[in-house]
Amino acid sequence: MSLSAQPTASLFIGGKPVEGQGADLPVRYALTGETIATLKEASTDQVAQACAAAKAAQPAWAAMAPVERGRILGRAAAIILQRNDELARLETLDTGKPIQETLVADWPSGAAALEYFAGLAATLTGQMIPLGADWAYTRREALGVCAGIGAWNYPSQIACWKAAPALVMGNTMVFKPSEETPLGALKLAEIFIEAGMPPGVFNVVQGRGEVGAALVTDPHVAKVSLTGSVPTGRRVYAAAAEGMRHVTMELGGKSPLIVFDDANLEDAVSAAILANFYSSGQICSNGTRVFLQEGIKEDFLARLAERVKAVRMGDPLDPDTNHGPIINAAQAEKIRTAIRAGQASGARLVCGGEGEGPFIPPTVFADATDDMTIATDEIFGPVMTALSFADEDEVIARANGTGFGLAAGVFTQDLTRAHRVIAALEAGTCWINTYNLTPVEMPFGGVKMSGLGRENSAAAIEHYSQLKSVYVGMGGVDAPY
């Protein structure tokens, strides 16, 4: 079976494929390292062309009736769902994630975002404010050109999550996917055109950091939305601030998953698996610090070790594979370095380890302390750190003892305690008795160093629009002279 995934061209500008003029950008299959496509980066001039195309298309797109914009997004969602099998295969080739995941979690989530915001389109209204004889009103207006910068773990989902609220509000977008996973965004651009979107409304540029920097600082760009690491977020935020651009930052985490003694053991173990090993652990919101109350600790670890024996590592195109390869050799080595550090620090290795080749098995450390690097640093791989605790006040303080604040979870059958603890945790996205479910209807994002702004839900509209206030005088105008 051919693994070639070569697109028509590397970029998508002004409604059509355009070949890049920059350096080669090889796309490698994570399982074998085989090159399945070779793209070219955008030149600085091509980034400017994409932003100019988006700027030129924006006034007519914003002038369109919101429900018409919504219909186009809805048609795009229908096309995605109709072609989900082939799109899932492309996503697996691009990311190395198992096909059993990409069939249900990647493009379908993107389609759900397009559907949701399509339905929201006609509700995007302002407010009338009575002021006696006079009155005022607000208009919710587009920002203009939005720059979207994606990550490699959920490339097509992220492209849809950023595009949907931006476009339905009347903005246009230039999207730069991760250089590791550049293929899905090109498909999305084609699908948008097929669905009736005018040329220039959604554009794609490819490249590494220099291309991203050129995009963020382009004078046409009014808004920057990034999904990435905290160090990248710092640089992009600083560059965006120079032009007073609006920003959304969805960054990394070292999130706590707290399991109290009274939790349903099997459900809590299932959540820990989802919170640490799904997508081979390459998820920003993962609950990688698992706090176990002393009474449940050993039973939990024993059951978890038993459950992970069912892991099946292998070809991600095999429907039976449930644990795929790491995205590339450099990331695998970073994870292995973290595992070695965990072993050297004296933490107990319950299961897993360094693995071989592109695979790293589900790895669990126990008896860790809060100051170990496996408990402080984001690893972005299938590595879970278990810490024990005695009481509620202690675990809240320790869970909050991090600069991150993306996500958190609590398992307990005492719902009063569950809500009390969640209220005390410094995290933007939280779960009670489940983990890592991110429906488009619910806002998603972090606090502290994990970012600002929100993706998804009606809350996302706030970050892709601005309010214009209009005072209406209904009588004469008094002046002092």
Side-chain angles (χ1 to χ4, degrees), residues 71-84 111 114-115 191 195:
R71 285 182 183 132
I72 292 171
L73 294 187
R75 286 196 291 269
I79 293 169
I80 288 170
L81 294 175
Q82 182 182 13
R83 299 178 190 164
N84 186 50
L114 297 174
E115 284 180 328
I191 288 168

Side-chain angles (χ1 to χ4, degrees), residues 8 38 155 159 220 222 229 291 318 320 435 470:
T8 304
T38 302
H220 292 315
S229 67
F291 289 90
D318 181 343
D320 292 329
Y435 204 89
V470 182

